[in-house]
Amino acid sequence: MTREEVWNHVAAHLREAFGRLVDVRDVRRVRRVAGDAWTVTVVLAAPSGDLHIGDVSVDDAGNIRPVLTADDVVEAARRAKQVSLAPPPDELGDFGGDSCRGS
């Protein structure tokens, strides 16, 4: 299989299972003892940006392992929500405050 064939095969499989919610972002060839395989990065396409769901492996026969489930998609969304709840640190919060003035 070529890189484009792997991309299209996994994208079609994901589209059938998840619609346009989940998409392929990267395909890389991996050399293994048993032969060549492909590692495919799968993301949840969100308005705020792509959320990494996981990487799957595709062999020359087109078998996709592991098979992604709805639980994997939900877990990716939960991880993103947990990260986004924490406000960024305010590094200049005390800049120009009273603590800078001498007596």
Side-chain angles (χ1 to χ4, degrees), residues 5-99:
E5 289 172 335
V6 171
W7 189 298
N8 291 333
H9 175 67
V10 174
H13 173 75
L14 294 172
R15 200 171 300 112
E16 181 182 312
F18 301 104
R20 294 177 46 197
L21 185 65
V22 177
D23 203 5
V24 172
R25 280 298 175 259
D26 188 32
V27 176
R28 298 175 308 278
R29 181 181 292 267
V30 179
R31 306 258 182 215
R32 299 204 173 140
V33 175
D36 291 343
W38 298 88
T39 298
V40 180
T41 300
V42 179
V43 298
L44 172 65
S48 60
D50 293 343
L51 305 175
H52 182 261
I53 295 175
D55 294 332
V56 297
S57 180
V58 180
D59 61 20
D60 284 334
N63 298 317
I64 301 171
R65 298 282 183 258
V67 176
L68 295 176
T69 64
D71 291 337
D72 298 319
V73 176
V74 170
E75 185 58 34
R78 284 186 180 152
R79 282 193 313 259
K81 186 176 180 182
Q82 291 171 351
V83 171
S84 66
L85 288 178
D90 187 6
E91 296 175 2
L92 300 176
D94 62 349
F95 184 74
D98 292 330
S99 62

